[in-house]
């Protein structure tokens, strides 16, 4: 198999707040256009940030989504979620929430009430995963995946382990079900660990250094909180942890359909976007209390 080289390393840009609870660097589409990372069409990264204690949880109030899935991975802190399709719960440290908005939901995302009272370090990733046209109007779905449910695979010589969220790592399958082929892992590497990953060349592949700094392919050193975009030529890359590290790895087969995106809606054409606004404005996304 050929080496998969780095196309670019992206440092976190100027952060902005989503609502008042998520201080994020937007990697996709600000730094990488939607089509380039298809099916991953949005990535907000809240690097570790300290929120002071408050009795009024911070976050984002009721808003709609249609045509894709939101995937929230909590590294530090806790998030409380509820949606108009009846999905909801608390996403704790290490947990993953996989919400399929599909035909449409209203949801709200806040820091968890009790956690807010003490506050502290908060770190998370939110990804938007596009849906193939034939699934965009499927019923909404909700997968609450606890850290315990992630598929954990030890690396040889005990140098760390892989937590498989979705897809497969050496025939170990992650718990999340997806609508197109996706691999999503957390790599937990001890200092000095060297490991190789392989994905089909045509899959769009990237990683985020959640904690620690690493070297890729014995060539490029990558600092914490950076995104690495790989090219679509080879299959295999090597990660060497220069200190204890957590790395989020994402790789997916491109859906290769037209993307028409506006705000919280991601469809295939303009007409479907107009329809999404009309359906939202006429209450077809259901009801959710503020
Ligand atoms: Mn949302």
């Amino acid at each position: 198999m050929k080496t998969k080289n780095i196309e670019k390393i992206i440092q976190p840009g100027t952060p902005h707040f989503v609502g008042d609870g998520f201080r994020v660097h937007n990697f996709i589409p600000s730094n990488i256009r939607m089509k380039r990372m298809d099916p991953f069409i949005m990535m907000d990264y809240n690097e570790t940030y300290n929120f002071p204690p408050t009795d009024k949880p911070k976050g984002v109030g009721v808003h709609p989504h249609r045509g894709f899935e939101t995937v929230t991975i909590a590294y530090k802190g806790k998030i409380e979620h509820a949606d108009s399709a009846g999905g909801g719960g608390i996403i704790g440290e290490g947990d993953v929430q996989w919400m399929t908005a599909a035909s449409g939901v209203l949801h709200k995302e806040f820091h968890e009430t009790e956690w807010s009272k003490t506050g502290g370090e908060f770190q998370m990733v939110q990804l938007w995963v596009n849906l193939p046209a034939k699934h965009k109007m499927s019923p909404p779905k909700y997968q609450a995946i606890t850290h315990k449910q992630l598929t954990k695979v030890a690396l040889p010589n005990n140098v760390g382990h892989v937590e498989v969220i979705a897809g497969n790592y050496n025939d170990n399958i992650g718990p999340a079900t997806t609508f197109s082929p996706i691999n999503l892992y957390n790599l937990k590497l001890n200092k000095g660990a060297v490991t190789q990953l392989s994905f089909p060349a045509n899959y769009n592949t990237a990683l985020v250094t959640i904690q620690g700094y690493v070297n890729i392919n014995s060539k490029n050193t990558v600092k914490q909180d950076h995104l690495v975009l790989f090219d679509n030529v080879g299959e295999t890359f090597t990660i060497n942890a220069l200190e204890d590290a957590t790395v989020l790895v994402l790789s997916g087969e491109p859906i290769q359909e037209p993307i028409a995106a506006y705000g919280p809606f991601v469809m295939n054409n303009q007409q479907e976007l107009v329809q999404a606004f009309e359906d939202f404005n006429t209450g077809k996304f259901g009801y959710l209390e503020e």
Side-chain angles (χ1 to χ4, degrees):
M1 281 198 278
K2 280 182 67 183
T3 301
K4 189 182 245 332
N5 286 309
I6 290 176
E7 182 171 308
K8 59 179 171 178
I9 300 171
I10 299 163
Q11 62 178 45
T14 309
H16 70 274
F17 269 88
V18 178
D20 62 0
F22 305 96
R23 181 186 176 273
V24 303
H25 303 284
N26 177 259
F27 284 121
I28 309 168
S30 293
N31 301 113
I32 304 171
R33 65 190 202 282
M34 286 182 170
K35 272 280 186 188
R36 175 61 187 86
M37 265 312 281
D38 175 16
F40 307 100
I41 50 172
M42 201 286 296
M43 184 197 282
D44 271 343
Y45 175 47
N46 189 133
E47 69 178 349
T48 300
Y49 183 77
N50 205 68
F51 282 94
T54 175
D55 286 333
K56 189 177 178 295
K58 293 177 186 296
V60 199
V62 176
H63 60 279
H65 290 299
R66 171 180 280 181
F68 60 96
E69 305 182 279
T70 66
V71 178
T72 304
I73 307 165
Y75 292 100
K76 293 174 186 166
K78 285 184 184 174
I79 304 156
E80 209 168 280
H81 167 273
D83 69 55
S84 56
I90 292 162
I91 314 163
E93 292 192 2
D95 297 346
V96 177
Q97 176 205 65
W98 202 294
M99 185 190 78
T100 308
S103 64
V105 295
L106 304 176
H107 80 157
K108 53 185 178 181
E109 304 156 273
F110 283 92
H111 296 174
E112 193 259 337
T113 308
E114 289 307 309
W115 184 86
S116 296
K117 287 177 184 165
T118 51
E121 290 193 333
F122 187 85
Q123 185 186 28
M124 61 118 232
V125 167
Q126 185 168 96
L127 281 168
W128 289 7
V129 177
N130 207 3
L131 287 169
K134 64 171 185 236
H135 295 298
K136 280 190 181 287
M137 293 302 282
S138 295
K141 185 175 138 184
Y142 188 82
Q143 303 177 70
I145 302 163
T146 61
H147 182 249
K148 217 176 148 188
Q149 291 170 321
L150 298 177
T151 305
K152 294 171 193 86
V153 188
L155 291 167
N157 307 319
N158 262 334
V159 296
H161 66 276
V162 181
E163 295 176 354
V164 188
I165 300 167
N168 92 75
Y169 169 78
N170 288 352
D171 297 327
N172 299 281
I173 311 291
T177 61
T178 65
F179 291 83
S180 65
I182 282 167
N183 298 295
L184 191 63
Y185 320 147
N186 281 316
L187 284 185
K188 304 281 177 109
L189 302 173
N190 301 332
K191 182 180 177 177
V194 181
T195 192
Q196 272 196 342
L197 293 175
S198 293
F199 301 107
N202 70 311
Y203 278 35
N204 289 324
T205 302
L207 61 80
V208 179
T209 46
I210 300 295
Q211 191 201 310
Y213 70 108
V214 301
N215 185 286
I216 308 290
N217 293 334
S218 305
K219 263 194 266 187
N220 304 87
T221 298
V222 184
K223 290 183 206 157
Q224 185 171 300
D225 301 324
H226 282 52
L227 183 143
V228 174
L229 175 66
F230 289 94
D231 67 24
N232 291 102
V233 181
E235 294 86 14
T236 302
F237 59 91
T238 304
I239 306 179
N240 176 9
L242 302 174
E243 57 188 14
D244 288 352
T246 300
V247 178
L248 175 67
V249 178
L250 46 155
S251 183
E253 183 180 57
I255 295 170
Q256 290 185 310
E257 290 172 347
I259 297 173
Y262 192 87
F265 308 126
V266 182
M267 306 303 290
N268 298 109
N269 60 54
Q270 200 61 29
Q271 195 187 334
E272 290 166 352
L273 279 183
V274 172
Q275 188 67 49
F277 275 95
E278 197 177 304
D279 290 350
F280 170 58
N281 288 328
T282 53
K284 297 221 171 81
F285 283 52
Y287 173 76
L288 184 64
E289 202 177 327
E290 282 289 348

